Each structure stands twice: as C-alpha cells, then as structure tokens.
Amino acid sequence: ADDLGLVGGTFGTATPSLRTQDLKAAGASSNYARALVQLPWEYVAGESVTIRFKAGMITTVAGTSALLDCEAFKLQADPDDAIGSDLVSTAATTMNSLTFADIDFVVTPTSLSPGDILDIRIKTTVNDGASGTAVIAGITSVKLLADVR
C-alpha cells in the first residue's frame, strides 16, 4: 500500500517509471522505494556524490503538494548491523509539476571510499484534496553522479 511501483509503459513509446498509485483525494500519502548502490571503483574517496532523479507528476499536479525525499546510509564493512546517520544533506524537494525536472540530493562524502555500498530509500509525499483526474507522482530516471579518476 505504500510502495512505489515500476510501470513499464508501452515499449518504444513510453518511458518506464517508478510511480505512486492514483492519489486523487487521498490526502497526505507517502510511498517508498529502496535500493543498494555501490560507488564505482574509480570514485575518488571523499569527493562529491549526488543522486539525481528526473521526477514530476503524471496527468495532474497535486492540489496541495508533492515532494520527493531521499535518504542514504553507508553500509559498514563490519557486519555488526551498525548503521551511521543519513548522509543526504538536501531537504525534501517539490516535484509538483507536469514538466519532469532534475532533482538533486547531495550526499555528504566525508567517509566514502570506492566500492562503498549505499542503502538508499526514496519517499514521495503527495497531498491532494479532490482532483477530478488522476494524481500520480512519477520518477523516470535515477543517476549516481560521483567524482571519478
């Protein structure tokens, strides 16, 4: 009930995307997706890391708001289940537009090294009152931008 779904779209016609269900008149609703991402071996330790999403609304904007948020935690080499703090320093950002746009989340790189694995969770929070048409948040691409040698 709160997972973002992968919608394939029509091959050769529509871009596959992560989407919420229709949140028309649903009030405030949050949906999540999670992935493990490894920093490339060519990554320069301690240099910049950004997670970039192409996101927006499909069909209709939300009556109140639509936000995208991202969290990232570095998995520790010692498997003692110790997890540090959220490394993303960017606050939740609006995605309430029919024009899909790049939304960047900056990752604090201080403790990062090549090959590190990030546990990333994204959250959409859509708040709609009573739209007449479908209110669906969508993400059409995700990129890891990192300084490499």
Side-chain angles (χ1 to χ4, degrees), residues 21 36 52 56 127 131:
Q21 64 274 27
L36 297 177
R52 174 172 290 163
N127 190 347
S131 292

Side-chain angles (χ1 to χ4, degrees), residues 47-61:
E47 292 298 322
S48 69
V49 174
T50 300
I51 303 167
R52 174 172 290 163
F53 298 89
K54 180 73 82 175
M57 302 301 289
I58 299 168
T59 310
T60 308
V61 297

